[in-house]
Structures are given as structure tokens and as C-alpha cells.
Amino acid sequence: MGDVADKVAYFQAITGLDDPDLCAEILTAHNWDLELALSNFTSNPRAAADANVSEATTSSTNPEQVETGLVVGAAGGPPGLAWKIVTLPFSIISGSLGLVSGAVGFGVWVVSGVLSYGLGMIGLNSGRNGESSSTRLLSVSAAVSEAMDFVACFERDFGSIRPNFVAEGFMDALQRSRNEYKLLFVYLHSPDHPDTPVFCERTLCNEDLVAFINENFVAWGGSIRASEGFKMSNSLKASRFPFCAVVMAATNQRIALLQQAEGPKSPEEMLTVLQRVIEESAPVLVTARVEAEERRNNIRLREEQDAAYRAALEADQARERQRIEEQERLEREAAEAERKRKEEEEARERAAHEAAEREAALVKIRQEKLLSLGPEPEKGPDVTQVLVRFPTGERKERRFHCTTTLQSLYDYVDSLGCLAVDNYSLVSNFPRTVYGAEKLSLSLKDAGLHPQASLFIELSS
């Protein structure tokens, strides 16, 4: 599990406590079970606050500044009005170790990339299948949910006349204040503190103070029972409640703590503090606004110049594309015309060839059918005289033996080549009789066509 110094250093890194002796006492009370000590510490806000108070008391004898997680404050009292730049980036990347919410109903997901590596070094950061994960300390949806819950509970308990707390995470609220060139007013709510209800009702919900905060600040609030509120209470070293602070965004994801107010305050005292902070920070905010406006103007000018250059370049490119497309279109049309000409020529040749083949096949069939009829017999008692009338009015006559089948009559008509269709029937008028496929095997005599017959051709539809 690693040696004692590693565990003390790791416990300090997660909890934000600067007193190694206090960390060692907490670990000793938990049998040096690092995970159990962290879980109990983060799930018990009262104990954590007491530890912070104890540590602040211990550190008050040190004339140097004390660093805590995210914000630098003067030991033993609120910071001065000069900017105090945060020494650590306000971004904590969590790992696979989850610290589950305790009896008071809040939890913290903690582990940074560096701390994840430290856990791996002492054997605590082995995830499933030996892999370690890296996720954000608090997801956006969870931070927004906490902020919305805080706003709803605050309005339910103290009414609608209140600062307009934004329903988003702290970093988003900080970014909003940066974008609006305002300071960020931070209120950390301790539901269990005896001074909290009176402070909220008489001071924080005072109409004049509310109007001043809403006009000049972006307001963010959080309960220390929730993950982000608890984290901010440690970062800002909130040892007394009610706790308010004024911060602003600095560079490289860092924040500057301008003022903090701890303990109960009257509306007049809060107004005085906030007005003084506004007056002192006004030049900085105005300068930031002017610089931002200059940057926007420079960017807009560059964008306009770039847009003009791109427009001219695109116009030249469009003309060149149009010329190339016109040339390609003419080439395609010429190629398409040549292709169609060849296809039409091939189609004509193919059609002529197929027509010749069909004609040759028909001639062959007619010849075969004519040969199958044999020579025309002479007149006699066993010979039938047949007259066939075509749809064009043309007539054809021929003699057949009376024993010849009706199929021979169809072969005779086919052999003449006078019809352009194959689907037809031989029909007699009186009485009207259709000699169709079912009668082809009958002889002329059996079909009643002997000794003579007059038939016409009826084309099938």
C-alpha cells in the first residue's frame, strides 16, 4: 500500500489540508486505511469544516500566505483588496476512485490524472482488468443539477426576492462573468449553521442588496452538502459561515480572489464591501472590456480583409472552374453524340441482320410446309376444292385429298406468306364454324369440308 509519507501526501492532495500532522492523526484513526479515511472525510462536511477550522487556527501563527487547492488567501483573516492570483489551475481530472455520498446525502467523485498515477504507484488505482479510467471531477449535467437544486431550495425557503443565482456549474458561471465583464459573487450555503437562516432572510434577500448584486455581478451559489459547494468551501478555505466571496477569472484557467466575507453581515455591511470591490475593480473591468473590443475590431478587420481576399480568389477559381466545366461539357457532348451515332448504327445493323435472319427463317419454314403438302392432286371424287379468302381481299385456291387434315390447310396458308401474323383462325360462313387448334387433326371430309369449302381468315385479337 505504500509507506506512511506517501499516504499522508496523497491524503493532503485530495482533502486540501495543509497540516501533515492533522492528516496523520486522521489516517491513524482509520488504521491507515487511505480509502476509508478519504470516504469518511468527504462524506462528513461537519468534520471536514472542523478540520479546516483547526488547520486555519494552526496556520494563523504563520505570517506567510497559505495555499489551498485553488485560491490563495491571507492566513488568519480575509484577503486584502489586491488581486490574489490562484496558484493552481481550477481543473481537477478525476480517476477511477469514487467517493460515495455519506449520511448527509452528498458525494464527491475525486481523482485527477496525477493523483490517478499516484494511486497506481501505491496500488489503489487498479481498475477493472487492470485499467485506470480518467473522468471529470463533476460532469456538466451533475453540476447543473446541483445548481438547479440549490436555486429551487433557496427560493422555496427564502422567497423569490434573491440574487439571480445561475443554474450552472462554478466554472461555467466564472466563464459567464468573464464574457459579461462582471465579477462573480459566490455564496456558500451551510444549511446546518445557526446564522444561515437570518443571514439569508435579512441580508442576502434584502431588496437593495439583491438589486445591487443582480446589476453588477454574476451570482453563483452552492450548498456545502453538494459536491461542488463542498469543493469550493475547501478551495476558498471557508472556515466561518455564512460565507460570501467575490472572484474573477484570471489567466490559464485560474481565478483571482478579490474579497471574502465570513460570518453574519448586515445588508449595509455587505453593500459597503461589494461597492468597494466594484470601485476598485472597475478600471480592470473597463480595461478588459476595451481590450476585448479592440481584439474584436482587429479580428473583424482581419476577417473582412480575409473575406475580400477569399471572395476575389473564389471568383477567379469560379471563372476557371466555369471554363474547365464548359470545355468538359463540350467534350462530353461530342463524345455522347459519337457514342449515340455508333449505337444507332450498330442498332440498325443489328436490326437488319435480325430481320434478315427472321425472313430467312420464315422462308425456310414456308418452304418446308409447302414441301410437306406434296403435289396438288387432280380433280376427282376424293379431292376437295378449297377456297381461302385473306383479310386483304385476296383469294387463293387449291385441291387437297379429302383425307388431308386441317393442319395441312394451315400449312398451306403459312406457305403462301400472305400474312404478317401467325395468330389466326380458318372460319366458314354457313354455318359459321371456327376450325381452331382442337380440330387440326380432323380430315377435310370429317370436318364437313368435302367436296369443296370456302374459308376466310380471321385474325385473332
Side-chain angles (χ1 to χ4, degrees):
M1 292 291 292
D3 56 20
V4 171
D6 287 337
K7 292 185 179 181
V8 171
Y10 180 62
F11 189 83
Q12 280 186 274
I14 289 185
T15 60
L17 297 177
D18 289 336
D19 188 352
D21 294 334
L22 178 59
C23 295
E25 289 178 7
I26 296 175
L27 287 169
T28 301
H30 291 84
N31 257 352
W32 291 94
D33 188 329
L34 181 59
E35 187 172 356
L36 178 61
L38 286 171
S39 177
N40 288 342
F41 184 87
T42 55
S43 63
N44 190 342
R46 186 179 298 276
D50 292 342
N52 281 331
V53 171
S54 173
E55 184 188 15
T57 303
T58 303
S59 302
S60 62
T61 58
N62 187 353
E64 299 180 354
Q65 291 183 328
V66 180
E67 295 186 1
T68 161
L70 304 170
V71 180
V72 178
L81 294 179
W83 307 111
K84 297 161 180 73
I85 303 301
V86 177
T87 59
L88 293 178
F90 194 87
S91 175
I92 300 180
I93 307 302
S94 67
S96 61
L97 181 60
L99 302 181
V100 185
S101 60
V104 295
F106 72 92
V108 181
W109 289 42
V110 179
V111 146
S112 70
V114 175
L115 297 182
S116 177
Y117 174 79
L119 275 176
M121 294 295 292
I122 60 175
L124 292 178
N125 196 31
S126 296
R128 184 173 300 178
N129 298 328
E131 298 178 357
S132 63
S133 62
S134 179
T135 57
R136 292 184 62 85
L137 174 63
L138 195 63
S139 67
V140 172
S141 59
V144 171
S145 177
E146 285 184 5
M148 293 175 64
D149 290 342
F150 168 76
V151 173
C153 293
F154 191 94
E155 185 168 319
R156 180 196 62 204
D157 295 338
F158 305 108
S160 59
I161 301 177
R162 57 171 177 77
N164 293 331
F165 295 114
V166 293
E168 54 194 23
F170 176 82
M171 289 306 294
D172 292 332
L174 190 67
Q175 185 60 42
R176 179 188 293 272
S177 68
R178 176 197 289 268
N179 296 338
E180 297 181 7
Y181 303 101
K182 292 184 177 181
L183 304 178
L184 181 63
F185 175 82
V186 178
Y187 169 63
L188 298 179
H189 186 70
S190 176
D192 300 327
H193 199 282
D195 294 331
T196 294
V198 175
F199 176 79
C200 291
E201 292 172 358
R202 298 182 182 178
T203 300
L204 202 56
C205 294
N206 177 269
E207 290 187 4
D208 294 337
L209 181 62
V210 167
F212 185 80
I213 291 175
N214 291 340
E215 181 180 357
N216 296 282
F217 296 88
V218 172
W220 180 87
S223 172
I224 64 171
R225 288 182 177 179
S227 299
E228 201 160 28
F230 176 71
K231 180 181 66 177
M232 291 308 303
S233 69
N234 283 336
S235 301
L236 298 174
K237 296 189 71 68
S239 59
R240 293 184 60 197
F241 292 93
F243 180 89
C244 299
V246 177
V247 301
M248 73 174 295
T251 58
N252 299 328
Q253 292 186 331
R254 302 184 183 190
I255 62 174
L257 173 62
L258 308 182
Q259 183 65 48
Q260 64 187 41
E262 296 180 296
K265 295 286 189 296
S266 67
E268 293 75 16
E269 290 175 326
M270 287 297 299
L271 271 173
T272 301
V273 171
L274 295 180
Q275 286 172 345
R276 185 172 65 250
V277 173
I278 288 293
E279 291 173 0
E280 294 182 352
S281 61
V284 176
L285 296 177
V286 170
T287 301
R289 187 186 299 273
V290 171
E291 290 176 351
E293 185 64 27
E294 290 179 353
R295 285 195 299 271
R296 282 195 296 269
N297 291 336
N298 292 335
I299 292 173
R300 183 167 56 252
L301 178 61
R302 285 196 299 271
E303 289 177 347
E304 291 174 355
Q305 294 173 344
D306 293 343
Y309 172 76
R310 286 195 300 269
L313 181 61
E314 290 173 358
D316 293 340
Q317 293 173 343
R319 285 192 293 270
E320 179 64 16
R321 284 196 302 270
Q322 186 176 3
R323 184 190 66 79
I324 294 175
E325 290 172 357
E326 180 66 15
Q327 181 179 352
E328 292 176 348
R329 183 184 65 80
L330 295 175
E331 292 175 355
R332 286 196 302 270
E333 290 179 353
E336 182 68 13
E338 179 65 16
R339 183 185 65 80
K340 288 184 177 180
R341 186 190 66 78
K342 289 183 178 180
E343 288 181 351
E344 291 173 356
E345 183 178 349
E346 292 173 356
R348 285 194 298 270
E349 292 177 355
R350 186 166 54 252
H353 180 70
E354 291 174 353
E357 287 181 345
R358 286 195 300 272
E359 184 62 25
L362 291 174
V363 170
K364 181 179 180 181
I365 291 173
R366 286 198 295 268
Q367 290 176 350
E368 291 174 350
K369 289 186 176 184
L370 183 60
L371 290 174
S372 67
L373 295 175
E376 184 177 4
E378 297 292 334
K379 294 181 179 180
D382 296 328
V383 176
T384 301
Q385 184 74 30
V386 177
L387 172 66
V388 179
R389 294 194 301 273
F390 288 86
T392 60
E394 185 178 2
R395 298 183 177 198
K396 294 291 183 179
E397 288 186 81
R398 192 183 190 281
R399 293 183 297 274
F400 295 89
H401 287 286
C402 63
T403 57
T404 301
T405 62
L406 288 173
Q407 178 64 56
S408 296
L409 292 185
Y410 278 92
D411 291 343
Y412 169 66
V413 172
D414 292 339
S415 68
L416 295 176
C418 297
L419 293 175
V421 296
D422 297 330
N423 198 6
Y424 64 93
S425 299
L426 294 174
V427 183
S428 62
N429 272 331
F430 301 104
R432 175 180 168 80
T433 304
V434 178
Y435 299 96
E438 71 280 2
K439 297 180 180 182
L440 294 179
S441 61
L442 294 176
S443 66
L444 298 179
K445 185 175 182 180
D446 292 338
L449 299 177
H450 182 72
Q452 62 181 8
S454 180
L455 305 172
F456 68 89
I457 294 176
E458 184 178 76
L459 301 178
S460 302
S461 56

